[in-house]
Amino acid sequence: MTDSTPHSSETPASGPAVGQDEWVARHAERRLIRGGPLAPMEERLRAVPWWVWLTLFVGVMCLLPAVTASGYVRRVAFDTVLYMMLALGLNVVVGWGGLLDLGYVAFYGLGAYSYALLDSDQFHVHLPAYVAIPVVVVIGAIAGFLLGLPSRRLHGDYLAIVTLFFLQLFQTIATNGDSIFGHNVTGGAFGIFTVKPLHAFGHNLVVQHQGVFAVTYYFVALGFFALIYVALRFVNLSRTGRAWRSLREDPLAAEAMGMPVNALKLMSFAFGAAIAALTGTIFASLSASVLPLTFYFVLLITIYTMVILGGSGSMRGVVLGALVIGPLLELLRDPNKSRIIFYVALIGGLVFAFRRSRRLGIVVAATLAFGFVCHAIAGALHHSWIAGSADGGLQHVVSYWLIIPKHLAGWIPPVSYVGVICVALVLTLVHGRLRLVLLPPTLYLAAFVWDNVMLTQPDPARYIVLGLILIALMIIRPNGLLGERRVEIV
Amino acid sequence: MDTFIQLTIDALTLGSVYALIALGYTLVYGVLKLLNFAHGDVFMVGTFIGYGVLQLLGGAESPNVPVWALIPIITVAAMAGCAILGVVIERFAYRPLRDAPRIAPLISALGVSFFLANSMQLLFGATPRTYNAFDLGNGELYFKGFDIGNVRVPLLRIITIGSAFVLMIALYLLVNKTRTGKAMRATSYDREAAAMMGIDIDKVIRFTFILGSALAGAAGVMFALRVPTTAAIGFVAGLKGFTAAVIGGIGSIPGAMAGGLILGFAESYTQGYISTKWSDLVVFSILIAFMIFRPQGLLGRADIRKV
């Protein structure tokens, strides 16, 4: 898959100045032509139709339970599939419709809560899955439609704020829904915790099998994922899909061409909401409980990062984004894995920045040397500075290089954290030799902060990483990993 | 009647905080046409800076400086800190995206907001921080004041509301009567034309961020003098501030003040007379009503787009 990453093509220095639109028109075509030994292979790979890729992908995903018996890994894989579905749904609204929908996870929550009400002891309603799921999907679509109604005349920013407020409102209702006119509807802050698993024709789809996460749910989720993918693929190729893209590129021009802009916006909203609601049913039926705070800003940012990282507008892209971010967030919970990820990302970033050049070697060597010198100085000053707990693994290796104090004084975390941010920001401003000189201390400081400050609190640290990815992506590569590069005709 | 007066005082305090936040949104939106999601979190950082400086000065119980100087000092510190933060955010997260599609800076702003909120949580934890304003001068700020009927209006409230209004009037004069303000208005009206007239756009935008963020810092201190602060308050505060800006008419400075006050009154009366839980619902309904019937807001100009 990585082979087909669009290659950034540079504008030829002596490019046609007058016929620039022709250059634009041939942009995609030129991108296909690639030299090098990999070119024939890439061409052959591109000739493989999409459904083969999809089958292959789903097939490989299906093999996962055979590889590992760990309930934890399976659960993470299940969550990742849910993330993929959510990202596909958000892609309809953001990637195709070009609408910034910040209430997206409220629809996910709405789906989960609707399913919870339709199949739980809350009101003693127990609908079978083949009734409950379509009902929930329709509820989600209607909710998306209704939210779109007041916002259809607004452009981007207002829409964002209305939808964001909708998310807040959903939170309010879910949290305070235990006394709506005296009725307990949503169970309040503790949620509904008697949700029944999916059941149809008298069979229950059990959540746990001998105390371990039952794989059936994973397969059900994968099935729904494939279904959504195929459906969206066809929608994208249809009249509506083309109309959406024209709406995204230029709403005004689309309207002038006679596109029903408002109807299209509402439809994209409803589509996204329906997919989110569908995902919500699967989530609720597996978790057996729904809590208001699951569906909040954190999840919203997570899904946005997936869509942006993969490349908004590209279905393969957003799936890839979910596939990267979902497990990444999970791995960052564990300090040891988190440490490995940090150093891998660091080295990867350096290689990406310097390619294979002498400067890369210089920077790495300088950073290592700088670290050993700092470590020696700190050790000479006082023993406790380098006497941090080494719990084996990578930390043990690293602790010969990195200062890990036994006790952090209260002022160290804020100062070092703010310091590393400031230095990193300054790095983006300076160029040439100065940057090369500043880089090793920055890297060392970053490693220090990561090990001593961020690893102690995985939860904010994970989300800080997400936020940074989002900002950096928007600036460095707004089209994401697999997204189409926007080419504007001037 | 007593409840009503009490609620009105509350509404004025809350409303002036919202208005100050809304001003930051409106200023930035006016000049850059960017919805600065991170603004609510700048406000949150402001509450923390105020807290930090207060602790440095010895805390509310036994401050090292006279009581009358304490609140101005922490307010100015928070304003300065937030102004710097605002400039840094603008320089590194928004400026590279100034010519990108409109959705790009919005998403970057989301990232900044998330980053700030979680950074503060990483550094200072999730426990609420309180200024203990009640201890200032042994409760002088609460016990002194004047009476309306049976209700005592505490000095602290008067100071808060008064200084908010002073700041707003100062801002109004700055934007409408000074050369810099003229440059801001020109940039807001038409950025390209302003650039051609010799206005340094970068400078104007930077100045706008300084103003907006400093107001958020002041609002942060005023807010945290009333209730404890955490790293999570930025989201809701930003949302309310933006709603206030939209209600008043985004881009309009008197509009933001009016919108903030309306929001403050709506929320305060709902909480007092109906239910504390559903005040968000009322605010949301007001927002939707404005979106449908008067999208340009109370005092905003109707947006006529040229093609």
Side-chain angles (χ1 to χ4, degrees):
Chain A
M1 255 173 134
T2 44
D3 269 351
S4 58
T5 308
H7 206 66
S8 57
S9 56
E10 306 291 332
T11 317
S14 58
V18 184
Q20 203 185 9
D21 44 349
E22 195 189 324
W23 178 85
V24 170
R26 291 176 167 254
H27 179 81
E29 192 184 311
R30 215 176 28 253
R31 216 172 47 188
L32 294 180
I33 305 165
R34 236 186 106 170
L38 286 175
M41 204 172 88
E42 196 187 324
E43 210 149 298
R44 210 167 298 162
L45 277 180
R46 199 175 283 122
V48 177
W50 63 273
W51 51 268
V52 175
W53 282 119
L54 181 66
T55 325
L56 213 65
F57 176 68
V58 173
V60 169
M61 292 290 281
C62 276
L63 286 180
L64 184 112
V67 178
T68 170
S70 148
Y72 171 69
V73 174
R74 288 175 181 181
R75 176 66 207 243
V76 172
F78 172 81
D79 286 344
T80 308
V81 175
L82 288 193
Y83 279 140
M84 295 194 301
M85 291 162 72
L86 284 174
L88 279 177
L90 187 61
N91 183 39
V92 175
V93 192
V94 177
W96 293 347
L99 308 165
L100 195 64
D101 178 4
L102 298 181
Y104 184 71
V105 289
F107 296 117
Y108 179 50
L110 188 71
Y113 265 96
S114 308
Y115 179 80
L117 292 179
L118 290 175
D119 192 4
S120 74
D121 294 339
Q122 189 75 5
F123 291 117
H124 295 284
V125 183
H126 295 285
L127 292 178
Y130 52 85
V131 180
I133 291 180
V135 169
V136 170
V137 170
V138 170
I139 289 177
I142 291 175
F145 185 81
L146 288 181
L147 180 63
L149 272 184
S151 23
R152 78 205 135 121
R153 285 194 305 168
L154 315 167
H155 20 138
D157 314 342
Y158 284 83
L159 186 76
I161 211 70
V162 170
T163 49
L164 193 60
F165 217 124
F166 175 69
L167 175 62
Q168 181 64 22
L169 194 64
F170 172 78
Q171 277 299 315
T172 312
I173 293 176
T175 319
N176 299 322
D178 48 357
S179 59
I180 297 180
F181 303 115
H183 294 287
N184 181 356
V185 179
T186 64
F190 301 107
I192 303 171
F193 43 85
T194 52
V195 188
K196 295 281 173 280
L198 292 172
H199 62 94
F201 310 112
H203 291 288
N204 256 341
L205 206 56
V206 285
V207 174
Q208 289 199 333
H209 181 67
Q210 293 167 350
V212 183
F213 175 74
V215 198
T216 22
Y217 267 91
Y218 178 63
F219 292 134
V220 168
L222 264 181
F224 273 114
F225 162 74
L227 198 75
I228 290 176
Y229 194 97
V230 172
L232 286 182
R233 174 93 202 177
F234 285 124
V235 171
N236 191 22
L237 294 178
S238 72
R239 261 166 71 97
T240 315
R242 291 198 302 272
W244 275 338
R245 269 170 284 150
S246 74
L247 178 71
R248 172 191 74 191
E249 292 303 325
D250 191 340
L252 206 61
E255 199 168 1
M257 290 301 188
M259 302 272 185
V261 170
N262 284 338
L264 283 170
K265 280 186 186 174
L266 288 179
M267 214 149 92
S268 114
F269 251 92
F271 248 87
I275 293 174
L278 172 65
T279 318
T281 61
I282 303 175
F283 173 77
S285 61
L286 177 93
S287 329
S289 64
V290 280
L291 297 167
L293 280 176
T294 319
F295 314 102
Y296 209 28
F297 202 51
V298 171
L299 184 65
L300 182 78
I301 297 289
T302 311
I303 300 169
Y304 261 92
T305 315
M306 290 167 180
V307 170
I308 301 295
L309 175 71
S312 83
S314 148
M315 286 174 63
R316 278 187 313 168
V318 299
V319 170
L320 182 69
L323 218 51
V324 172
I325 298 285
L328 177 73
L329 278 181
E330 218 35 68
L331 290 176
L332 284 178
R333 276 179 202 273
D334 177 23
N336 270 324
K337 288 172 185 150
S338 194
R339 198 171 284 122
I340 297 173
I341 289 176
F342 175 76
Y343 288 106
V344 168
L346 209 64
I347 293 166
L350 282 178
V351 172
F352 177 78
F354 291 118
R355 312 282 161 185
R356 226 171 37 199
S357 66
R358 218 168 60 209
R359 283 183 304 167
L360 175 66
I362 294 174
V363 168
V364 171
T367 311
L368 286 177
F370 185 81
F372 285 122
V373 170
C374 282
H375 189 269
I377 293 174
L381 282 177
H382 200 282
H383 179 68
S384 71
W385 280 45
I386 51 167
S389 60
D391 51 359
L394 185 63
Q395 192 180 21
H396 189 69
V397 181
V398 167
S399 66
Y400 289 106
W401 173 70
L402 193 63
I403 300 176
I404 304 173
K406 202 156 196 168
H407 300 289
L408 276 185
W411 60 271
I412 292 180
V415 170
S416 58
Y417 183 78
V418 175
V420 76
I421 291 170
C422 292
V423 182
L425 290 179
V426 168
L427 262 189
T428 64
L429 292 182
V430 298
H431 292 285
R433 203 159 281 173
L434 190 56
R435 181 184 275 189
L436 222 52
V437 171
L438 276 178
L439 200 51
T442 313
L443 293 179
Y444 188 73
L445 190 58
F448 176 80
V449 169
W450 184 265
D451 224 281
N452 289 304
V453 182
M454 301 193 61
L455 285 187
T456 53
Q457 292 177 63
D459 235 27
R462 300 191 293 156
Y463 301 137
I464 288 171
V465 171
L466 267 194
L468 285 178
I469 291 179
L470 211 51
I471 303 170
L473 265 179
M474 273 346 278
I475 291 169
I476 299 168
R477 199 180 161 89
N479 49 337
L481 291 175
L482 297 183
E484 295 163 25
R485 170 172 285 224
R486 262 329 146 70
V487 184
E488 285 192 17
I489 299 175
V490 187
Chain B
M1 190 60 199
D2 286 353
T3 330
F4 179 76
I5 296 170
Q6 192 70 51
L7 288 176
T8 310
I9 299 164
D10 265 348
L12 279 171
T13 329
L14 201 60
S16 43
V17 171
Y18 287 154
L20 286 179
I21 305 175
L23 281 171
Y25 274 115
T26 258
L27 285 173
V28 169
Y29 193 89
V31 170
L32 216 53
K33 299 286 173 287
L34 163 74
L35 203 170
N36 182 8
F37 279 115
H39 193 64
D41 293 281
V42 172
F43 160 84
M44 179 272 295
V45 173
T47 65
F48 274 88
I49 296 175
Y51 177 80
V53 173
L54 185 65
Q55 298 310 312
L56 281 183
L57 294 176
E61 296 84 12
S62 53
N64 303 330
V65 290
V67 174
W68 57 266
L70 195 62
I71 293 182
I73 290 176
I74 58 176
T75 311
V76 168
M79 288 173 79
C82 286
I84 295 171
L85 182 66
V87 170
V88 170
I89 292 173
E90 191 272 329
R91 177 65 189 79
F92 291 99
Y94 300 154
R95 192 180 296 179
L97 297 171
R98 208 174 281 166
D99 297 319
R102 279 188 69 166
I103 209 166
L106 287 179
I107 292 172
S108 175
L110 273 184
V112 173
S113 157
F114 201 55
F115 173 75
L116 283 181
N118 283 295
S119 299
M120 291 312 271
Q121 186 170 351
L122 176 83
L123 298 180
F124 301 109
T127 42
R129 306 284 169 137
T130 168
Y131 282 20
N132 287 326
F134 196 78
D135 291 333
L136 281 176
N138 292 323
E140 259 181 9
L141 292 174
Y142 277 87
F143 296 133
K144 285 192 182 161
F146 63 89
D147 296 322
I148 305 177
N150 296 326
V151 183
R152 166 69 47 93
V153 185
L155 204 56
L156 187 64
R157 293 297 164 82
I158 300 170
I159 294 173
T160 307
I161 299 168
S163 42
F165 275 89
V166 168
L167 281 175
M168 287 188 238
I169 292 167
L171 179 76
Y172 186 80
L173 293 178
L174 182 71
V175 172
N176 283 298
K177 302 288 178 200
T178 64
R179 241 176 110 80
T180 323
K182 208 179 209 173
M184 281 172 67
R185 279 179 291 143
T187 314
S188 149
Y189 197 74
D190 188 332
R191 202 198 302 169
E192 274 180 29
M196 285 175 204
M197 292 298 136
I199 293 173
D200 186 345
I201 300 295
D202 282 343
K203 219 165 158 184
V204 169
I205 291 175
R206 198 183 313 137
F207 187 67
T208 310
F209 268 86
I210 289 178
L211 278 184
S213 308
L215 291 177
V221 171
M222 291 174 191
F223 177 86
L225 279 170
R226 282 179 65 232
V227 286
T229 174
T230 68
I233 59 164
F235 175 67
V236 173
L239 200 55
K240 297 273 170 66
F242 190 78
T243 309
V246 169
I247 289 176
I250 196 146
S252 147
I253 290 174
M257 302 177 195
L261 288 177
I262 289 175
L263 213 61
F265 277 105
E267 210 175 302
S268 180
Y269 289 147
T270 320
Q271 287 180 347
Y273 289 120
I274 304 171
S275 151
T276 45
K277 289 175 180 175
W278 301 107
S279 60
D280 278 351
L281 188 68
V282 174
V283 173
F284 185 67
S285 317
I286 296 176
L287 176 69
I288 293 292
F290 265 95
M291 292 267 162
I292 294 171
F293 297 113
R294 206 178 156 78
Q296 73 270 34
L298 267 185
L299 301 174
R301 273 176 290 128
D303 187 17
I304 303 168
R305 274 195 297 166
K306 279 186 285 184
V307 184

